[in-house]
Amino acid sequence: MALFTKSARQIKVLARDPVLLALIVVIFASVAIFVVYPLVKVLIASLQVRGTWTLETFSQLGQRRLYRNAIVNSLSVGALVGLLGVVIGYIAAFVLTRLDVPGRRILHYLTLLPIISPPFVSAVSILFLFGFNGVITKQVLGLQDFSIYGFHGVVLSQVLTFAPIAYLSLRGVLSSINPVLEDAALNVGASGWQAFWKVTFPLSLPGVASAFLIVFIESMSDFGNPLVLAGAAFPMLAPQAYLEITGSFNLSRGAMLAVVLLIPSLTAFAIQRYYLGKRQYVTVTGKPSASASRIVSPGVKWSLYALVVLFAAVVTLFYGVIVIGAFTRVWGFDYAPTLAHFAYVFDVGFDAVTDTLIIALITTPLSGVLGMVVAFLIVRQRFPGHDLLEFGAILSFAVPGTVVGIGYILAFNSPPFVLTGTLTILVLCFVFRYVPVGIQSGVAVLRQIDPSIEEAARNLGAGSVTTFRKVTLPLIAPAFFTGLVYAFVRAMTAISAAIFLVSANWNLMTVQILNQVGSGRLGVAAAYSLVVIGIVLVAIVIIQTGVARMTRHSVSVKV
Amino acid sequence: MTESVRIQNLVKAFDNPDKTAKPVLAVDTVSLDIKPGELVTLLGPSGCGKTTLLRMVAGFEEPTAGEIYFGDRHMNNVPPNRRDATMVFQSYAIFPHLSIFENVAFGLRLKSLKTAALEKRVTDVLDMVGLSGMANRSPNQLSGGQQQRVALARAIVMEPRLLLFDEPLSNLDAKLRDQMRVEIRELQQRLGITSLYVTHDQIEAMSISDRIVIMRGGKVEQVGTPREIYAQPANRFVAEFIGRANFMSAKVVDQNTVSVAGTQLAVATPLEAAPGTDVTLLIRPEFITLSASEGMLAGSVKRVMFLGNLTEYLVEVPGTEPWLIELSGADSGIFAVGETVNLSLPAAALHVLME
Ligand SMILES: Nc1ncnc2c1ncn2[C@@H]1O[C@H](COP(=O)(O)OP(=O)(O)OP(=O)(O)O)[C@@H](O)[C@H]1O
Ligand SMILES: [Mg+2]
């Protein structure tokens, strides 16, 4: 009753601002249609065989060894990659934020490089280095019967791909722990070791757990690396679901595997968000500060540093191999330099380049603005269903792309929504899939901005849309930048959901890379990867310039 | 354009964060009339609901009950951007991404004024608040006091029907606060804009207001001019909040006399209470005089504090609470601790509270 009157009151207030009300309704509807509805379709498909309700597909889990193995394999890879990723990420974050070591900037960028490249570039590098014709395995070591395919290949590739994500998130956590706390521990007689384990580590623990879960989710959802490196003897959930649908045309089994894939990811997401998220706010206090940590001895310091340099060196090696591979005639046999692979990309395969660019260019501003608008609604407006909208809008972060892809072909292949094979479906998929990062950074930045600044704009006569455009958006420009870059990078590098949605008319570079790897043309795959990385780097510079222009205070009148 | 404001039985209930408990009544049935051109201050301790009341007038909070009128116009359903009641925020709320000029011009630009007219108005107002020459600076290049002036300029440039201030001076140091207080008052009187001003600083309230509203726990305790509130506080809370005071238990003797510790004292205003009633006598410390030879009550000096412009005595009189007495510069420093003194209490200085 009290709840009802409250909602009624909120609606009454909103009704005075029809634009805002309309905006909320539209966003609600689109989240329902493009985030929730496809998931419901997946669930329904997994529980139906030829139109009748049944648990038959789920009983397959017990009967078929293949499925059981896929579950165990995916979970164990996810857990191990999460663990290794967090260890590497923590060390790198600690060294690069808290220790006074040379070359921090360049190490930072090298560590981040994997984030902006297609997620299976490292898989291609691994084939170059350790494959049947790999430089190291064949040329250097002369191994005959070594196979990189399987558990170790996937783990190696995913650690390299996802450790940077752990690094990025732990960097924020570590740099916001006030070093004075460590000094205080030393001051009362703790050794450096004790200060770390009793102060710094416990304070960063929620962040560590959260980073672990994020990497775990990424690993579970990863599609490209397992498809390239898992091999037939090592089934994993995401590629298996794909194969059920595209190989055996068995929608309900594919949907069933998607549901199975969804459960651990959603669980991890729920823990990360609703349990750890609250804790992090309480423990981490103080402004980010640059003071160097005094709790490590020189020996420990340089050992940790060596590890970070090693990781950066491995990244460099992997990317170096891609560059060389892109200019090498036939890897493993003929190392003569050639431009043939690029010629192929810019000739035969150029449609995929333009398609990808068009899609990314449409997706990026939509996703960026939507993210900021939703963040604004979440932080600054009260309306019925507020928490539901927040949950729905961020949900897709935790939904593996494979599940989304299956959901989209189930949901938008038949009336009322017929979108398969169109540009629209790809754009919608990308917008709603990649908006959560923008939302979350928007929410974080907005929470730190005094709401009276926006009230001042209202007070001076600005309507809610004007206030958003002229005041809120410029103020949350850093988050807007994050949202735009993330949306662009992801649109350029996405594969797991997109592979279900591409068509003859609209194809993507990542899908091309995967096809080339599949048919053994690693050189072309490498050339495509370089083009993607190049475009992404250029785009980041452009977006940065644009956002900087927006925030620079505009003095239009000379007095 | 200046306007009267009428607030009728205004209530604001907030959900208690602890959901099971009762809602918090931040503002509890407040009524208030503000005349055109008048500056009315809301004064009260922290958490008494001043900001909430002000925000309801600005349209940022939805009243739970009650009405707000500007002139004859019912305002409850008017959104904040149409109220034409500009506000000076406690945190200043200056747009950090805009220059000083653009900050002040913000509201005018929304009215799509002609460029020339806009420039003139902004420049004039910047002159008025002493910020000419700083128009092109960015907000973080200003001192706290200058930012305060930008906030003020941004509000008055709109020539609003009503000006709202939420503790506009609380982030400034003491000297600057005194200076800005005078400037705000002068500006307000010159422009004649009706104003509602929130503060918890009694000196600020006394010096700036036409009338003061004393609030406690969401309710109005007393409304009056600074002089009325000081000389005739409605109750002990108001008296304690405004200035310092001695409170002495007393008994009514007859219409013109009360007794304190057995001594009969004459009062200036006739009493309505029946003889024998227990009352509280309020006496401001600066109205009492001390003498070595003659007076109404005798006591001994317990403490002396020299404060420059005045000297403060604490005197113990048998059968009463200790008395606080302030003597101004000329008569200071005559009595030492332990000396016997006599207190004179002029009839006009005795204010009787019926509690
Ligand atoms: N959004 C809110 N939700 C719940 N309670 C609130 C909210 N805003 C204010 N209150 C409560 O309402 C009461 C009045 O708050 P208000 O901010 O109006 O006080 P104030 O008189 O301005 O105090 P101060 O001098 O400290 O600024 C307080 O008890 C406060 O805790
Ligand atoms: Mg307040």
Side-chain angles (χ1 to χ4, degrees):
Chain A
M1 179 59 206
L3 200 69
F4 178 76
T5 49
K6 191 169 147 199
S7 306
R9 207 172 336 124
Q10 287 172 340
I11 291 179
K12 199 183 101 195
V13 176
L14 273 181
R16 268 174 234 156
D17 199 336
V19 182
L20 196 63
L21 186 61
L23 195 65
I24 292 172
V25 171
V26 168
I27 290 179
F28 247 106
S30 16
V31 167
I33 296 171
F34 298 110
V35 178
V36 180
Y37 176 59
L39 291 182
V40 174
K41 284 295 247 187
V42 172
L43 200 61
I44 293 174
S46 73
L47 292 170
Q48 279 187 341
V49 174
R50 283 176 296 278
T52 46
W53 294 93
T54 168
L55 281 173
E56 189 189 313
T57 46
F58 282 92
S59 68
Q60 296 277 327
L61 281 179
Q63 289 155 16
R64 295 192 58 178
R65 180 91 157 270
L66 176 69
Y67 293 164
R68 282 204 307 276
N69 285 346
I71 296 175
V72 174
N73 293 345
S74 282
L75 286 174
S76 47
V77 167
L80 185 60
V81 170
L83 197 66
L84 293 175
V86 164
V87 171
I88 293 172
Y90 199 96
I91 293 175
F94 188 80
V95 170
L96 297 182
T97 60
R98 307 299 299 281
L99 299 184
D100 183 21
V101 289
R104 289 203 289 192
R105 224 181 149 72
I106 178 83
L107 287 171
H108 171 69
Y109 286 124
L110 280 176
T111 310
L112 285 185
L113 189 55
I115 287 187
I116 61 151
S117 40
F120 44 87
V121 164
S122 60
V124 176
S125 307
I126 287 174
L127 290 183
F128 277 141
L129 291 168
F130 308 107
F132 289 129
N133 298 316
V135 176
I136 295 182
T137 39
K138 191 177 159 206
Q139 260 85 13
V140 179
L141 300 176
L143 298 175
Q144 292 301 323
D145 48 3
F146 175 80
S147 166
I148 189 64
Y149 296 98
F151 183 73
H152 50 295
V154 177
V155 169
L156 176 63
S157 181
Q158 286 194 345
V159 165
L160 208 88
T161 313
F162 299 130
I165 295 176
Y167 162 69
L168 206 57
S169 105
L170 287 167
R171 196 183 152 87
V173 173
L174 280 177
S175 61
S176 58
I177 294 177
N178 196 336
V180 169
L181 295 175
E182 289 174 0
D183 292 349
L186 295 178
N187 183 257
V188 294
S191 68
W193 185 251
Q194 287 169 322
F196 177 77
W197 287 109
K198 287 193 187 298
V199 177
T200 314
F201 189 71
L203 283 176
S204 57
L205 200 53
V208 168
S210 162
F212 171 83
L213 293 173
I214 292 173
V215 174
F216 176 79
I217 293 174
E218 291 282 355
S219 164
M220 289 288 293
S221 333
D222 187 23
F223 175 78
N225 288 310
L227 197 70
V228 175
L229 286 173
F234 191 74
M236 291 181 72
L237 280 174
Q240 193 58 43
Y242 170 71
L243 293 175
E244 292 293 343
I245 287 177
T246 56
S248 352
F249 301 103
N250 193 330
L251 269 178
S252 48
R253 278 192 200 167
M256 180 274 290
L257 288 177
V259 171
V260 173
L261 181 57
L262 188 59
I263 292 166
S265 297
L266 278 188
T267 313
F269 172 69
I271 299 174
Q272 193 259 338
R273 195 165 160 72
Y274 293 97
Y275 183 71
L276 297 170
K278 297 211 166 66
R279 238 139 269 249
Q280 241 154 341
Y281 271 46
V282 190
T283 50
V284 182
T285 53
K287 293 199 184 85
S289 52
S291 144
S293 180
R294 279 169 285 274
I295 61 172
V296 292
S297 63
V300 176
K301 171 175 160 181
W302 295 113
S303 318
L304 293 176
Y305 181 62
L307 290 176
V308 177
V309 171
L310 178 67
F311 184 78
V314 172
V315 172
T316 314
L317 171 69
F318 274 46
Y319 281 83
V321 165
I322 293 281
V323 176
I324 297 171
F327 293 101
T328 299
R329 201 167 288 169
V330 186
W331 194 265
F333 299 99
D334 180 359
Y335 284 96
T338 177
L339 286 174
H341 305 315
F342 283 98
Y344 179 89
V345 169
F346 287 104
D347 181 22
V348 186
F350 199 63
D351 276 355
V353 178
T354 44
D355 286 1
T356 309
L357 256 180
I358 291 171
I359 291 166
L361 287 177
I362 301 175
T363 302
T364 304
L366 285 180
S367 183
V369 172
L370 179 68
M372 297 309 107
V373 170
V374 173
F376 169 74
L377 294 179
I378 289 173
V379 179
R380 294 285 199 250
Q381 303 292 329
R382 292 289 160 264
F383 47 88
H386 173 271
D387 296 355
L388 213 59
L389 178 71
E390 179 174 10
F391 180 79
I394 298 182
L395 176 66
S396 52
F397 181 76
V399 179
T402 310
V403 182
V404 176
I406 296 174
Y408 268 53
I409 53 173
L410 289 169
F412 304 120
N413 205 11
S414 55
F417 309 103
V418 186
L419 297 169
T420 23
T422 60
L423 171 67
T424 317
I425 195 170
L426 279 160
V427 168
L428 284 170
C429 174
F430 286 179
V431 166
F432 285 95
R433 219 166 122 53
Y434 302 131
V435 79
V437 167
I439 295 178
Q440 278 169 317
S441 45
V443 166
V445 175
L446 209 51
R447 288 231 159 96
Q448 289 169 9
I449 292 174
D450 184 358
S452 54
I453 294 182
E454 286 154 283
E455 283 173 0
R458 301 276 283 152
N459 181 256
L460 292 167
S464 49
V465 174
T466 312
T467 304
F468 180 79
R469 198 166 50 81
K470 292 192 135 187
V471 176
T472 314
L473 199 54
L475 288 179
I476 57 177
F480 188 40
F481 173 73
T482 306
L484 288 173
V485 168
Y486 185 84
F488 188 84
V489 170
R490 286 302 183 121
M492 291 297 297
T493 61
I495 180 82
S496 53
I499 199 161
F500 292 95
L501 306 176
V502 291
S503 59
N505 293 334
W506 292 99
N507 209 335
L508 293 174
M509 274 195 269
T510 47
V511 178
Q512 284 301 315
I513 300 178
L514 217 50
N515 289 343
Q516 301 299 334
V517 174
S519 47
R521 291 198 288 204
L522 293 183
V524 177
Y528 264 122
S529 303
L530 284 186
V531 172
V532 170
I533 295 171
I535 293 176
V536 166
L537 288 176
V538 170
I540 289 177
V541 172
I542 293 175
I543 294 173
Q544 186 149 37
T545 322
V547 172
R549 182 161 305 160
M550 180 178 88
T551 51
R552 187 195 52 204
H553 88 240
S554 49
V555 183
S556 46
V557 185
K558 293 273 162 286
V559 185
Chain B
M1 275 297 278
T2 193
E3 192 99 66
S4 65
V5 174
R6 196 156 91 248
I7 293 167
Q8 284 179 342
N9 301 322
L10 208 58
V11 177
K12 178 70 193 183
F14 285 114
D15 292 334
N16 203 305
D18 164 13
K19 296 266 194 268
T20 50
K22 279 192 306 184
V24 183
L25 278 182
V27 172
D28 186 0
T29 332
V30 168
S31 299
L32 178 66
D33 277 317
I34 308 177
K35 295 191 265 299
E38 194 179 27
L39 192 156
V40 170
T41 299
L42 303 177
L43 177 65
S46 187
C48 71
K50 309 177 295 279
T51 299
T52 308
L53 179 53
L54 194 75
R55 288 171 60 80
M56 285 193 282
V57 175
F60 295 130
E61 301 281 0
E62 185 78 355
T64 310
E67 319 300 327
I68 299 171
Y69 295 91
F70 292 178
D72 295 330
R73 209 169 137 214
H74 185 239
M75 298 304 285
N76 287 46
N77 292 321
V78 178
N81 51 326
R82 307 258 171 71
R83 290 211 177 182
D84 198 9
T86 54
M87 178 146 162
V88 179
F89 290 81
Q90 177 170 11
S91 59
Y92 311 150
I94 294 176
F95 306 122
H97 60 298
L98 301 178
S99 69
I100 302 311
F101 185 95
E102 286 305 321
N103 259 281
V104 177
F106 188 92
L108 296 179
R109 288 211 186 278
L110 296 169
K111 290 184 158 179
S112 42
L113 230 65
K114 287 234 173 55
T115 314
L118 179 141
E119 280 183 32
K120 179 161 173 16
R121 262 170 80 173
V122 173
T123 315
D124 287 352
V125 168
L126 283 176
D127 273 345
M128 212 186 282
V129 299
L131 284 180
S132 39
M134 300 199 185
N136 289 328
R137 290 212 199 166
S138 103
N140 55 24
Q141 296 171 323
L142 296 188
S143 70
Q146 289 165 337
Q147 292 184 14
Q148 201 341 272
R149 286 160 206 257
V150 174
L152 183 63
R154 191 177 63 180
I156 57 178
V157 79
M158 301 302 292
E159 297 170 4
R161 291 191 290 182
L162 176 62
L163 264 175
L164 305 172
F165 298 85
D166 189 5
E167 309 210 20
L169 306 181
S170 63
N171 290 331
L172 302 179
D173 69 49
K175 258 227 162 72
L176 203 53
R177 200 151 52 204
D178 291 352
Q179 185 191 337
M180 284 305 297
R181 180 168 89 201
V182 175
E183 286 182 24
I184 290 181
R185 178 57 168 166
E186 277 176 7
L187 209 57
Q188 186 266 339
Q189 293 205 309
R190 180 138 52 95
L191 303 172
I193 305 175
T194 315
S195 302
L196 188 55
Y197 190 106
V198 163
T199 179
H200 62 244
D201 178 337
Q202 48 128 340
I203 312 263
E204 197 170 308
M206 299 284 277
S207 58
I208 208 171
S209 319
D210 292 311
R211 281 189 303 151
I212 298 177
V213 178
I214 306 271
M215 291 181 68
R216 170 163 67 161
K219 286 191 155 67
V220 171
E221 294 284 326
Q222 187 173 3
V223 183
T225 64
R227 227 166 257 286
E228 283 166 2
I229 300 244
Y230 188 78
Q232 294 135 32
N235 54 41
R236 185 165 178 151
F237 172 81
V238 174
E240 269 179 331
F241 204 81
I242 294 275
R244 307 169 74 189
N246 293 293
F247 297 98
M248 296 296 160
S249 312
K251 247 189 195 8
V252 175
V253 176
D254 59 37
Q255 223 186 1
N256 303 310
T257 323
V258 294
S259 87
V260 175
T263 308
Q264 300 214 340
L265 300 171
V267 297
T269 343
L271 298 171
E272 284 168 16
T277 314
D278 285 325
V279 294
T280 302
L281 205 54
L282 176 147
I283 313 110
R284 299 281 180 193
E286 69 275 20
F287 292 150
I288 306 175
T289 51
L290 291 181
S291 146
S293 48
E294 59 199 50
M296 301 159 184
L297 288 167
S300 67
V301 176
K302 282 274 124 194
R303 198 179 74 201
V304 184
M305 247 195 276
F306 177 63
L307 299 173
N309 58 338
L310 49 81
T311 305
E312 185 187 295
Y313 292 89
L314 196 68
V315 174
E316 212 151 63
V317 174
T320 70
E321 301 273 303
W323 292 69
L324 186 71
I325 296 148
E326 288 172 2
L327 299 185
S328 62
D331 356 290
S332 293
I334 312 170
F335 307 100
V337 173
E339 257 184 88
T340 303
V341 289
N342 295 292
L343 285 65
S344 299
L345 307 165
L350 302 187
H351 181 64
V352 176
L353 298 173
M354 305 305 297
E355 50 184 82

